[in-house]
């Protein structure tokens, strides 16, 4: 079982490579609906819900836990995933967008990192530049998947150089659906 936020490419790649179940995490019912109905995820968790926590939702959709978690948000959502990690589970860290707009004194570490020790789990950073030697092959494969309709994407476009700050704010507030772009 793989769990990812709205970094839907990772989830779709996992599904295409045979993951038995892929769960997405997104902010809002519309984004969750897009993940399940368009991107083909098996389930989606809405981290903005007020009536139930992310950890509770994870337990509902993955009662046996998760084997792999692709994280680009950090914070409370990462902690919920660590709590749901299965023995020998893996966590891939790609970003921490929930922390980017915080002052240094507001940023906090992971409070339940001991979950990795107790479960024999592994957490590793993922930096795209480490895989530069694979860019050509990956670009071709992703383009083919997109042409075949097995890789879906959404774009949220704002127009004009003056709207660059607006685009960034939309991204940090989670108001975008898919890639946040600014057409100059």
């Amino acid at each position: 079982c793989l769990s990812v936020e709205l970094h839907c490419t990772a989830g779709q790649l996992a599904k295409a490579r045979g993951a038995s179940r892929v769960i997405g995490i997104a902010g809002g019912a519309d984004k969750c609906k897009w993940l399940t109905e368009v991107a083909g995820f098996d389930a989606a968790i809405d981290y903005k819900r007020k009536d139930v926590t992310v950890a509770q939702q994870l337990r509902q959709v993955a009662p046996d836990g998760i084997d792999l978690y692709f994280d680009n948000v950090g914070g409370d959502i990462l902690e919920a995933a660590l709590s749901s990690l299965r023995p020998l589970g893996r966590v891939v860290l790609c970003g921490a967008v929930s922390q980017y707009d915080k002052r240094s004194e507001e940023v906090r570490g992971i409070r339940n990192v001991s979950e990795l020790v107790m479960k024999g789990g592994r957490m590793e950073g993922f930096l795209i530049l480490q895989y530069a030697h694979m860019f050509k092959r990956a670009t071709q494969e992703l383009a083919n998947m997109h042409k075949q309709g097995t890789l879906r994407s959404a774009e949220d476009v704002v127009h004009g150089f003056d709207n660059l700050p607006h685009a960034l704010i939309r991204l940090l507030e989670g108001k975008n659906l898919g890639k946040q772009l600014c057409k100059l």
Side-chain angles (χ1 to χ4, degrees):
C1 181
L2 169 75
S3 180
V4 299
E5 293 88 19
L6 189 59
H7 195 302
C8 62
T9 301
Q12 291 178 85
L13 288 172
K15 197 73 168 169
R17 300 253 187 313
S20 61
R21 187 161 167 77
V22 176
I23 301 164
I25 303 174
D30 289 341
K31 290 180 181 182
C32 289
K33 184 177 178 180
W34 190 91
L35 283 173
T36 56
E37 293 183 8
V38 178
F41 283 51
D42 298 293
I45 292 169
D46 183 353
Y47 72 83
K48 289 187 177 182
R49 281 184 58 183
K50 301 292 184 203
D51 61 323
V52 62
T53 67
V54 170
Q56 291 168 327
Q57 292 178 75
L58 267 173
R59 283 192 294 275
Q60 289 172 353
V61 298
D64 295 328
I66 56 177
D67 297 305
L68 176 62
Y69 176 65
F70 185 91
D71 179 58
N72 60 358
V73 172
D76 294 336
I77 296 175
L78 173 57
E79 290 179 353
L82 288 175
S83 293
S84 290
L85 203 62
R86 291 171 48 111
L88 305 178
R90 295 168 310 203
V91 178
V92 178
L93 301 173
C94 181
V97 74
S98 71
Q99 306 296 302
Y100 294 161
D101 62 344
K102 297 190 181 328
R103 294 183 303 229
S104 59
E105 64 271 9
E106 295 174 321
V107 175
R108 61 174 174 76
I110 304 166
R111 295 176 291 193
N112 63 343
V113 73
S114 63
E115 294 282 347
L116 292 168
V117 175
M118 303 300 286
K119 297 172 181 174
R122 188 174 79 202
M123 186 161 49
E124 183 175 354
F126 172 82
L127 184 61
I128 191 77
L129 296 177
Q130 293 170 315
Y131 299 91
H133 65 284
M134 300 173 80
F135 283 2
K136 184 176 180 180
R137 188 178 101 205
T139 301
Q140 291 169 343
E141 185 176 339
L142 292 171
N144 287 337
M145 289 178 69
H146 190 66
K147 285 178 194 170
Q148 295 168 359
T150 57
L151 179 63
R152 304 288 180 96
S153 63
E155 295 177 349
D156 192 320
V157 182
V158 298
H159 296 272
F161 184 80
D162 292 343
N163 284 318
L164 278 171
H166 176 67
L168 179 60
I169 290 168
R170 285 181 55 74
L171 175 70
L172 292 174
E173 291 178 347
K175 292 183 178 177
N176 60 305
L177 175 61
K179 295 173 192 75
Q180 182 65 66
L181 303 173
C182 185
K183 186 172 184 174
L184 303 178

